Amino acid sequence: MLDTILRGHYKIISHLGGGGFGQTYLAEDIDLPTHPTCVVKQLKPLSHEPFVLETAKRLFDQEAEMLYSLGSHDRIPRLLAHFQEGEEFYLVQEFADGTDLTQEIGNGKRSPEAVAIALLKEVLEILVYVHERNVVHRDIKPANLIRRTSDRKIVLIDFGAVKEIGGLAVDPQGNTNLTIAIGSPGYMPIEQLNGKPRFSSDIYAVGMMAIQAITGAEPRLFAEHPETAELVWRDRLQGNYSPQFLDILDKMVRYDFRQRYQTASEVLMAIASMPNITEHDLPTVVSASNMTNNAATIITSSQDATQAAGSQGDSSYRNPHTIAFQESSSRKSFPIWVWVTGGFALLLVVIMAIISKTAKNAPEVVNNPVAPNLPSTTASPTVSPTATPPKVTPSPTTAPTPLSVEELLAQALILNRNNKPQEALAKVEEAIKLDPTNADAWGAKGLLLRSMGRENEAIASFSKALELRPDERLIPPSKRELPSKKGGKKKDDD
């Protein structure tokens, strides 16, 4: 248990949480007159081997330097101090007073589009700063985003690289597990699960969080397309969302990192290029029984939207769903009583005309008035009903494009997740046949064989993978998770 007074500088107030290799405490800095509140993180590597402690010390100093540089951003807590005591490492950070976004996102709560876009912008603006300093956060999720009490701004906490220090271990050959996956299931893409995070891995996590915000569903509950491995989530939508916004979210969470936005700035630009759509612009079904009551509301909404567009200097603004009620920007809008009075007057004229025609027993007049002084229009040519339709020649059937090694391995992963290891192995064998020098395919074969109890064949496959990529630092088979365990090895969140 951590001492109540740490190094004579910090008084522990309460325990905030932690896991097997790290604990987090709320503390006071008793050296300063106002005793400001701070957060103390205690990191303890799992192994006590001297080589591991030496590696942990090196990583600890690197990460501390990184956190010092990131702390100059207003919405990233500053690192106040870092030090080592024996085999334990400590970080002291500024305390972000507020509540995390688990209070706003998930648990069935659904955010409207405007709220979700505001959330995206705030987090992406912080990520632009983080990525410019060549840092990947690796653990973006609602629990690591704090809504600051003082100004309601979002603060980003708990960089995943710090957890890597606490989780350090060593295998019998003396290699450290630097390729372990750091992150949270549901927000972690496939390349991060394989220990190779990229900037677009953070973008994936932010996209998943936005999808969670508008669907109210947990990310781990979304299904995957059986052929492409893309997430299937739009079926959980309720309410009105613009197609442009949904397309942006789809691109943020692509299975293949190469198909995602590569930088946070790209996503912000895509959001900025969206048309200025308000809630009134989104398609709404109005029943016939309520049409009379809703007419005034639709007219008022149209006028408000037109005035709002005019105030933004956009003279070309058009509301595609209320065109029938829209006035030109240069034309004065009439009050609602004018529309009502005019409607009654028109109805009265029609009734009087019918009575007059009936009284005089006038012959029926064909209702085909021609407006005077209007240019005549050319009638469209009449199409004969017996005309022979043009012949359509069917295009020749195109042969399907052969699958690549990457696509075959992706299909193998999906099959194995669905408890079909034999079919998954067949896909891997097909990938090896396509490219016998692909080390990833041989490694995947070894993992599948090991999960099926065929140890000797698995060792041979791993040896082949090492032979093809001798400079790769592979995780030993005894330490690596089966590919069917989607979230990787369960870790306690720091």
Side-chain angles (χ1 to χ4, degrees), residues 86-355:
E87 297 179 354
E88 298 173 353
F89 302 87
Y90 295 90
L91 295 170
V92 183
Q93 288 183 287
E94 188 178 20
F95 174 59
D97 187 12
T99 55
D100 63 53
L101 293 193
T102 58
Q103 308 298 315
E104 304 177 19
I105 296 176
N107 299 319
K109 300 175 184 176
R110 301 174 188 271
S111 301
E113 180 170 320
V115 174
I117 288 178
L119 169 68
L120 270 180
K121 285 182 176 179
E122 275 207 73
V123 179
L124 289 169
E125 286 167 359
I126 305 174
L127 272 187
V128 169
Y129 178 86
V130 172
H131 290 173
E132 283 176 350
R133 280 145 186 80
N134 204 32
V135 175
V136 181
H137 185 281
R138 290 199 274 177
D139 200 15
I140 295 177
K141 58 182 178 180
N144 285 341
L145 291 163
I146 305 296
R147 180 77 70 181
R148 194 160 51 194
T149 303
S150 60
D151 57 7
R152 306 300 296 164
K153 297 288 187 181
I154 292 178
V155 179
L156 179 60
I157 65 171
D158 279 356
F159 284 73
V162 174
K163 297 181 181 180
E164 188 174 32
I165 299 169
L168 273 176
V170 65
D171 61 31
Q173 289 74 37
N175 299 316
T176 54
N177 57 342
L178 291 177
T179 56
I180 59 172
I182 299 295
S184 298
Y187 304 95
M188 184 167 46
I190 186 65
E191 74 277 0
Q192 187 174 338
L193 184 63
N194 291 333
K196 298 177 180 179
R198 293 170 167 83
F199 295 139
S200 61
S201 306
D202 283 347
I203 292 172
Y204 179 97
V206 179
M208 287 302 303
M209 195 170 58
I211 292 173
Q212 182 183 10
I214 64 177
T215 61
E218 295 299 317
R220 284 180 287 185
L221 300 180
F222 295 132
E224 291 180 348
H225 192 281
E227 297 295 332
T228 64
E230 302 292 355
L231 290 173
V232 179
W233 59 272
R234 292 199 185 193
D235 57 324
R236 295 177 178 266
L237 286 174
Q238 293 180 9
N240 302 326
Y241 297 92
S242 63
Q244 297 89 341
F245 177 57
L246 301 182
D247 289 343
I248 288 173
L249 296 183
D250 267 334
K251 187 171 180 179
M252 292 178 73
V253 298
R254 291 291 183 202
Y255 180 86
D256 188 342
F257 68 89
R258 294 168 296 185
Q259 297 179 5
R260 296 181 212 136
Y261 297 102
Q262 297 303 299
T263 64
S265 300
E266 286 184 34
V267 191
L268 288 171
M269 289 175 61
I271 294 173
S273 67
M274 290 175 56
N276 293 326
I277 296 178
T278 66
E279 185 178 353
H280 298 296
D281 298 319
L282 298 173
T284 304
V285 178
V286 181
S287 63
S289 61
N290 293 331
M291 190 172 295
T292 304
N293 295 331
N294 291 337
T297 304
I298 296 174
I299 295 169
T300 305
S301 300
S302 175
Q303 293 171 353
D304 292 344
T306 306
Q307 292 169 3
S311 65
Q312 296 172 4
D314 184 5
S315 60
S316 63
Y317 172 86
R318 297 201 64 177
N319 184 340
H321 303 289
T322 54
I323 290 177
F325 300 95
Q326 184 173 332
E327 292 288 333
S328 170
S329 59
S330 61
R331 188 179 300 175
K332 182 178 179 181
S333 299
F334 294 103
I336 187 64
W337 65 268
V338 175
W339 293 96
V340 176
T341 305
F344 279 115
L346 179 60
L347 179 62
L348 183 60
V349 170
V350 172
I351 293 173
M352 290 179 65
I354 294 174
I355 293 174

Side-chain angles (χ1 to χ4, degrees), residues 43 66 157 295-296 394 488:
L43 306 174
M66 177 267 292
I157 65 171

